[in-house]
Amino acid sequence: MRILALDTTGRIASAALWQEDRLVDYGEKDSQMNHSRTLLPVVQQLLEKQGLSLDQMDVFAATIGPGSFTGVRIGVAAVKGYAWVTEKPCAPVSTLESAAFAAPEGEGTLCALVKARQDEFFFALFQGSGRERLTEDQVGKAGAIWQQLQAWPKPWRLTGDGAEEWLALVPEALGQTEQTHCRQNAAATAQCAARQAQEGKLVDCHTLKPAYLRPSQAERMRAQREGQAQEG
């Protein structure tokens, strides 16, 4: 089984090719959030390097969020398009689960973190070498996440592209947590997608959709305008 996975939830756009039980190839580009220009060339180079085409993929995987609203939309839209044209299934992978699988295996509690806004972060907790979920994806303030993490077994490890910023806001966690310096990426997303395929959790292109966890700025502004109109 061949899987083409994309991740555009953060600053770096990446694509990965997974076959059977291993990573075949990987490409990434620091696009500084300009994924609409950089993602497709990364995919094209990856496929050309392996002498493969989209038709030869069995599954298309996307990191569906939470994360950058624009980035998530671009990655999900690309995968929906690939799957629709080739009539192949999709794997919707949480950004936080991708970050967890990017980290080395280990004991204790693994906290995956992605920056939301101000002092808020998207987060989820995992445990063991299989990265079994302890919590669902959530959003919370830095201090509240630290309190929740302390309720779970040590050692406490951090992963995701928000880990460094989180530590800066929670200095008391320094020395008590281990930062893996790993982030969500298409290779980890592909690994998660392979597990979904084994568990029969794939979806079609029409079902695949972003998982934002919170309204976008445009949605918040619209709700505010509608509320003001009703009050008027």
Side-chain angles (χ1 to χ4, degrees), residues 116-137:
R117 63 175 182 176
Q118 298 175 349
D119 65 338
E120 290 186 333
F121 294 79
F122 302 113
F123 74 101
L125 304 181
F126 302 81
Q127 70 175 354
S129 59
R131 288 84 155 186
E132 300 300 327
R133 274 189 178 272
L134 295 173
T135 71
E136 295 301 313
D137 293 354

Side-chain angles (χ1 to χ4, degrees), residues 3-8 14-16 39-40 43 54 57 59-64 71-93 186 189 193 202-209:
I3 299 173
L4 177 64
L6 308 182
D7 176 73
T8 54
S14 60
L39 179 62
L40 297 185
V43 172
L54 291 175
M57 300 299 109
V59 177
F60 294 97
T63 316
I64 62 169
V72 168
R73 285 196 295 270
I74 290 171
V76 170
V79 165
K80 286 172 73 73
Y82 292 154
W84 181 75
V85 169
T86 60
E87 299 183 337
K88 301 293 177 63
C90 303
V93 176
T189 294
L202 301 178
V203 301
D204 61 32
C205 65
H206 305 291
T207 305
L208 184 72
K209 61 182 181 179

Side-chain angles (χ1 to χ4, degrees), residues 42-63:
V42 170
V43 172
Q44 184 176 359
Q45 291 171 11
L46 192 71
L47 293 176
E48 288 179 350
K49 182 179 176 182
Q50 296 298 323
L52 296 170
S53 66
L54 291 175
D55 288 334
Q56 292 174 284
M57 300 299 109
D58 298 300
V59 177
F60 294 97
T63 316

Side-chain angles (χ1 to χ4, degrees), residues 69 117 122 212-221 223:
F69 286 98
R117 63 175 182 176
F122 302 113
Y212 296 127
L213 282 192
R214 60 184 305 166
S216 67
Q217 182 177 1
E219 290 171 326
R220 292 194 302 271
M221 292 176 65

Side-chain angles (χ1 to χ4, degrees), residues 9-220:
T9 58
R11 173 171 171 160
I12 297 176
S14 60
L17 181 62
W18 184 277
Q19 186 166 343
E20 303 308 333
D21 60 351
R22 67 183 183 89
L23 179 68
V24 174
D25 208 346
Y26 176 82
E28 67 176 29
K29 187 174 181 60
D30 186 347
S31 63
Q32 300 185 26
M33 303 307 299
N34 196 4
H35 300 320
S36 60
R37 292 187 178 183
T38 58
L39 179 62
L40 297 185
V42 170
V43 172
Q44 184 176 359
Q45 291 171 11
L46 192 71
L47 293 176
E48 288 179 350
K49 182 179 176 182
Q50 296 298 323
L52 296 170
S53 66
L54 291 175
D55 288 334
Q56 292 174 284
M57 300 299 109
D58 298 300
V59 177
F60 294 97
T63 316
I64 62 169
S68 159
F69 286 98
T70 301
V72 168
R73 285 196 295 270
I74 290 171
V76 170
V79 165
K80 286 172 73 73
Y82 292 154
W84 181 75
V85 169
T86 60
E87 299 183 337
K88 301 293 177 63
C90 303
V93 176
S94 158
T95 308
L96 298 166
E97 192 162 340
S98 176
F101 273 81
E105 294 183 358
E107 299 303 317
T109 305
L110 180 64
C111 180
L113 294 154
V114 171
K115 189 72 170 68
R117 63 175 182 176
Q118 298 175 349
D119 65 338
E120 290 186 333
F121 294 79
F122 302 113
F123 74 101
L125 304 181
F126 302 81
Q127 70 175 354
S129 59
R131 288 84 155 186
E132 300 300 327
R133 274 189 178 272
L134 295 173
T135 71
E136 295 301 313
D137 293 354
Q138 305 172 58
V139 60
K141 291 186 177 296
I145 296 171
W146 173 232
Q147 291 180 351
Q148 186 172 154
L149 179 58
Q150 292 178 82
W152 296 95
K154 292 184 176 181
W156 299 318
R157 298 186 299 132
L158 308 177
T159 186
D161 64 8
E164 187 173 348
E165 290 187 60
W166 181 82
L167 275 173
L169 293 171
V170 190
E172 58 268 39
L174 289 169
Q176 298 193 59
T177 57
E178 173 190 343
Q179 189 173 354
T180 65
H181 299 285
C182 295
R183 56 173 170 78
Q184 66 273 20
N185 61 73
T189 294
Q191 186 177 357
C192 296
R195 186 172 68 171
Q196 287 187 14
Q198 293 175 348
E199 296 175 350
K201 295 181 179 179
L202 301 178
V203 301
D204 61 32
C205 65
H206 305 291
T207 305
L208 184 72
K209 61 182 181 179
Y212 296 127
L213 282 192
R214 60 184 305 166
S216 67
Q217 182 177 1
E219 290 171 326
R220 292 194 302 271

